[in-house]
Amino acid sequence: MADMTASGRDLAPHDPTRRAATVRIPFPARLSPHAERARRHSLLWVQEMGLLTDAATGEYDTLRLERLMAYFYPDAGGQDLELAADFNAWFFIFDDQFDGRLGKRPEAVEALVESLVRTMSADAPRWAPGPADPPLVRAFHDIWHRATADAPDDWRRRFRRHWSAYLTSHQEEARNRTGDRLTSLEQYLATRRNSIGVQPCLDFTERCGAYSLPNSLHDSAPLREMREITGDVVIFVNDIVSLVKEMAVGDVNNSVLVTREEKGCGLDESVAYVAGLANARTARFGQLAAALPASLAARGMSAEARRYVDHYVEGMGHLMAGNLAWSLATSRYDQRGITAVSDGRQRPWASLAAASADPDVRQSPQRAVGPTAGRFGADKSPRGQLAGS
């Protein structure tokens, strides 16, 4: 396998990651007015869960991860956005565990994943993290139960399936980092569509809207393809903007690097190709969205069901547009972010997977549950619950 390590200087002065601005996403990037409230809440939560120390708070806060969720769910109520900010914080802190030694140890990743998946098992209500469980497990237990409180069974099972796929995909990514050669772009996407985390985020779109799409509608051909497009666009944008950062840590799980290897081209050409893939997919998304109303009418869907689908499709646009807007603004991918992980350095929260839970760390799983629990059963928006249509 070719050496994929590099520093930010290797691509200067013509940093190809800026070409993410050429990705055409024809949806508005709107920011929730509750972003600052979500920021304050989530900073407290990550500290209470033992995911972040006081010393690391400043560096973490520069990433402004809550703004990504404020773009994803611009119409979400304050408490819904707080929960979204918490699970997004968990997403990124979990992801950073793989920039170091853990990312190249598939067997260690498997053990961590098993402990996290157990949190979502049928026995989960009777299982609670113990003193031997690391903060990552305790924090995941907290957000899982807060997110699924009083959720419809079908939605909960779907949410669990998507989270499980997200978690287990990190084992395959660890194997990719230790292989003799890079995978093909098709193989890469098969894994990355899970590890990018888009599917659980789209499930949360339903939760924010206080409805749950029936499986027959959720799994129908137009929506299934549109979800895949949404994930692919997020992947391609993420891979372009994070390219220099990932080269700095030697991570090969990036479509730009996979394309460069597969086509035998330079980085500039590879970035342009991946940006073109993103643009082709957004164009296809527009075609599918335009044909969707007639398709739903032909299926005899009620006006209420069509409103929920409209909200869901709008949510996909928020994910694509918001990911691009946030990615071009966060310090995670600029020179500060690259320096933070260059030359063997790691983020200060990147060694939690092996750490034991601190019994002195105070947990408060009920603090956000009260008003947030029962989200599906309460009509807290103009939308109510969609049942069985």
Side-chain angles (χ1 to χ4, degrees):
M1 184 185 293
D3 182 12
M4 298 297 172
T5 59
S7 69
R9 296 184 302 275
D10 294 312
L11 296 177
H14 305 295
D15 181 353
T17 63
R18 297 303 92 195
R19 290 193 177 178
T22 68
V23 176
R24 297 184 295 274
I25 298 182
F27 315 110
R30 295 195 292 114
L31 190 71
S32 168
H34 301 296
E36 179 58 26
R37 168 179 164 176
R39 169 180 169 266
R40 293 194 301 268
H41 168 95
S42 194
L43 282 173
L44 177 61
W45 181 82
V46 291
Q47 291 174 316
E48 288 183 332
M49 290 291 108
L51 297 174
L52 199 67
T53 64
D54 289 341
T57 299
E59 180 178 341
Y60 171 89
D61 195 31
T62 66
L63 305 179
R64 297 309 301 269
L65 297 178
E66 80 290 337
R67 291 178 69 85
L68 180 59
M69 295 294 98
Y71 278 121
F72 278 13
Y73 313 113
D75 300 313
Q79 291 173 337
D80 285 338
L81 191 62
E82 288 171 359
L83 177 55
D86 289 350
F87 80 65
N88 189 54
W90 189 93
F91 264 127
F92 277 85
I93 290 173
F94 178 74
D95 184 76
D96 283 346
Q97 306 306 305
F98 304 95
D99 284 347
R101 185 165 171 259
L102 178 64
K104 297 180 181 179
R105 297 174 60 209
E107 71 290 343
V109 175
E110 182 177 10
L112 173 61
V113 166
E114 286 178 353
S115 66
L116 292 165
V117 169
R118 186 177 63 216
T119 294
M120 303 182 291
S121 71
D123 293 333
R126 295 187 293 275
W127 178 87
D133 289 299
L136 279 170
V137 175
R138 295 190 296 107
F140 186 74
H141 179 268
D142 177 64
I143 57 176
W144 168 257
H145 285 282
R146 286 163 56 197
T148 59
D150 294 336
D153 288 342
D154 283 349
W155 183 89
R156 184 195 296 263
R157 283 191 288 268
R158 193 160 65 223
F159 199 43
R160 182 183 188 276
R161 184 172 70 250
H162 291 155
W163 269 107
S164 296
Y166 165 77
L167 294 168
T168 56
S169 65
H170 286 77
Q171 297 169 234
E172 184 62 28
E173 290 200 341
R175 285 189 283 268
N176 289 344
R177 294 187 187 98
T178 57
D180 294 332
R181 57 181 300 173
L182 295 183
T183 64
S184 67
L185 182 60
E186 182 179 353
Q187 292 170 321
Y188 165 78
L189 287 174
T191 299
R192 189 61 173 140
R193 283 169 179 150
N194 289 320
S195 68
I196 193 64
V198 163
Q199 299 303 323
C201 289
L202 285 176
D203 294 334
F204 205 79
T205 293
E206 295 175 77
R207 189 187 186 283
C208 288
Y211 63 87
S212 175
L213 296 177
N215 289 335
S216 59
L217 181 55
H218 182 273
D219 297 336
S220 63
L223 291 183
R224 187 170 62 247
E225 184 177 355
M226 293 167 81
R227 274 196 304 276
E228 182 173 292
I229 288 171
T230 301
D232 285 358
V233 171
V234 172
I235 289 168
F236 294 142
V237 168
N238 179 261
D239 286 354
I240 292 171
V241 299
S242 68
L243 176 62
V244 181
K245 167 187 169 290
E246 290 178 357
M247 291 181 73
V249 299
D251 196 346
V252 298
N253 288 300
N254 186 295
S255 59
V256 175
L257 299 177
V258 169
T259 296
R260 182 178 70 166
E261 183 89 351
E262 200 168 58
K263 292 183 172 295
C265 60
L267 278 177
D268 281 358
E269 183 181 345
S270 183
V271 169
Y273 179 81
V274 170
L277 292 178
N279 289 334
R281 280 164 168 76
T282 56
R284 172 62 177 166
F285 186 96
Q287 295 170 355
L288 292 169
L292 194 55
S295 173
L296 293 175
R299 294 180 57 172
M301 288 290 168
S302 66
E304 181 184 48
R306 291 198 295 271
R307 286 198 301 273
Y308 296 139
V309 172
D310 287 345
H311 177 263
Y312 189 68
V313 171
E314 183 181 47
M316 296 184 202
H318 292 324
L319 260 67
M320 288 185 275
N323 175 65
L324 177 59
W326 174 81
S327 296
L328 293 176
T330 178
S331 69
R332 184 172 177 84
Y333 305 125
D334 65 14
Q335 189 57 53
R336 289 172 293 174
I338 296 165
T339 300
V341 296
S342 294
D343 303 321
R345 290 186 292 271
Q346 287 185 269
R347 295 288 193 176
W349 51 84
S351 58
L352 289 168
S356 296
D358 183 348
D360 294 328
V361 173
R362 179 166 59 89
Q363 298 186 62
S364 58
Q366 298 301 316
R367 57 191 283 273
V369 171
T372 306
R375 177 64 179 147
F376 285 93
D379 188 0
K380 299 183 181 180
S381 73
R383 312 168 184 92
Q385 182 178 2
L386 174 60
S389 62

